[in-house]
Amino acid sequence: MTETGISDQFADEIATTCRTGIGDTLRSVIYFTRNEFDHLYLRSDLYGGDAERARELETVFVSNERLGFSTNETYRRLEELGAEPDLGEYQLTIRAFSDGFVSRVIVGDHGILLTSDSYHISDFEEVAVSLRKLLAERAPE
């Protein structure tokens, strides 16, 4: 049973999309809503293989990335008001660190958070397009 209630099939589609696009540098994949989150993938060399410890520590990432729900609403309001310059529709957020990345895609009331070692940002942009499509096709269950 998942915390968010997503189906196993949807969880597998998300994890497979991320693993295929990012490869072995992928550390973790988390599906989240405004209130809950589920680990969909955790690389075996992280947190000593302790899934409970991973969930405890990654709660910090998820709490921060949930701020994206209100940020998206702000950008949408600016667009409705005809703000210049028009930036277009939100696509993704990438946070770069010295030893890796935290990346987020949000559509509506659900999102996906990835952590990874180094990779080319253009690779994640391609994955983000696929993830946005998956999220858009399914409202939180």
Side-chain angles (χ1 to χ4, degrees):
M1 181 72 180
T2 64
E3 299 292 322
T4 62
I6 65 169
S7 70
D8 289 343
Q9 179 184 353
F10 186 31
D12 288 344
E13 286 179 63
I14 293 168
T16 299
T17 298
C18 296
R19 283 282 297 137
T20 300
I22 304 300
D24 292 338
T25 65
L26 185 65
R27 294 180 182 186
S28 65
V29 178
I30 299 167
Y31 172 84
F32 65 100
T33 64
R34 291 181 185 267
N35 300 312
E36 302 293 339
F37 76 93
D38 289 307
H39 253 155
L40 306 183
Y41 170 81
L42 180 64
R43 200 169 67 197
S44 63
D45 65 327
L46 299 176
Y47 306 109
D50 184 344
E52 287 183 38
R53 180 74 173 141
R55 182 173 178 82
E56 176 186 327
L57 294 173
E58 294 207 343
T59 297
V60 175
F61 285 123
V62 174
S63 295
N64 185 63
E65 297 308 325
R66 280 189 177 125
L67 297 173
F69 291 121
S70 61
T71 301
N72 286 350
E73 291 165 5
T74 299
Y75 293 144
R76 210 171 10 258
R77 280 196 316 268
L78 288 171
E79 185 177 346
E80 290 168 1
L81 294 171
E84 292 294 332
D86 179 17
L87 297 173
E89 185 179 347
Y90 164 81
Q91 299 293 310
L92 64 115
T93 299
I94 298 176
R95 300 183 197 287
F97 297 87
S98 60
D99 294 323
F101 294 89
V102 175
S103 309
R104 175 190 75 208
V105 174
I106 290 177
V107 175
D109 286 334
H110 56 167
I112 299 167
L113 174 64
L114 308 177
T115 61
S116 68
D117 298 329
S118 294
Y119 63 86
H120 296 284
I121 290 176
S122 62
D123 293 339
F124 186 74
E125 288 173 330
E126 291 176 25
V127 172
V129 168
S130 297
L131 293 175
R132 287 183 57 74
K133 182 178 178 186
L134 285 173
L135 290 172
E137 290 173 352
R138 293 183 172 94
E141 300 171 0

